[in-house]
Every structure is written in structure tokens, then in C-alpha cells.
């Protein structure tokens, strides 16, 4: 069974993790949306799945987003 503590619980039939990613990326497109959503995904699940490897993946997506934004300025 799904519960709110495992990141798969839902509100109005939509998974909580998906709602967070949707709100965080609603004004983003392309690589910005992908990197933001994936960083959130790995931060959300690190304790239950992946541990340090999930945190490293979150950092990778954050660094990729930073690099992308810096190249635009």
C-alpha cells in the first residue's frame, strides 16, 4: 500500500512527488524542467532508495542546470 511517507502517496489521485515536480517546473521548459524535476526526484527518494548514489545524481542534475544557466549569461 502507498502512503505519504514513501513519496508515492497521492492527493486527489495525483502522486505527491508528481505534484511537487509539476509546481516546481510549471514555468520551465526543456533542460531546465528536466534537470529540476530529476533533482527533486532523487532528493525525494534518497533515504528509501539509492542513498548516497541518489544524492549524487541530484547534485549532477543541479550542476548541469547551473552550467546551462551560466552559459546563457
Amino acid at each position: 500500500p502507498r502512503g505519504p511517507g514513501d513519496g508515492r502517496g497521492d492527493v486527489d489521485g495525483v502522486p505527491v512527488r508528481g505534484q511537487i515536480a509539476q509546481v516546481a517546473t510549471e514555468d520551465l521548459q526543456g533542460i531546465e524542467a528536466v534537470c529540476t524535476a530529476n533533482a527533486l526526484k532523487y532528493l525525494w527518494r534518497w533515504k528509501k532508495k539509492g542513498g548516497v548514489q541518489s544524492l549524487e545524481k541530484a547534485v549532477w542534475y543541479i550542476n548541469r542546470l547551473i552550467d546551462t544557466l551560466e552559459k546563457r549569461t
Side-chain angles (χ1 to χ4, degrees):
R2 294 180 174 193
D6 66 6
R8 296 177 294 165
D10 60 74
V11 175
D12 297 329
V14 179
V16 172
R17 183 174 57 212
Q19 290 183 7
I20 292 169
Q22 183 178 14
V23 169
T25 61
E26 67 185 352
D27 294 328
L28 303 177
Q29 295 180 350
I31 195 69
E32 291 179 12
V34 170
C35 288
T36 300
N38 282 331
L40 288 170
K41 172 180 74 173
Y42 288 113
L43 285 171
W44 184 276
R45 74 180 199 178
W46 78 268
K47 187 71 173 174
K48 299 221 180 233
K49 182 179 179 184
V52 171
Q53 185 178 23
S54 286
L55 292 172
E56 290 170 343
K57 288 179 180 182
V59 168
W60 187 89
Y61 280 105
I62 293 167
N63 285 333
R64 183 162 182 203
L65 178 58
I66 291 169
D67 290 344
T68 299
L69 296 174
E70 286 178 341
K71 288 177 183 175
R72 290 182 187 168
T73 59

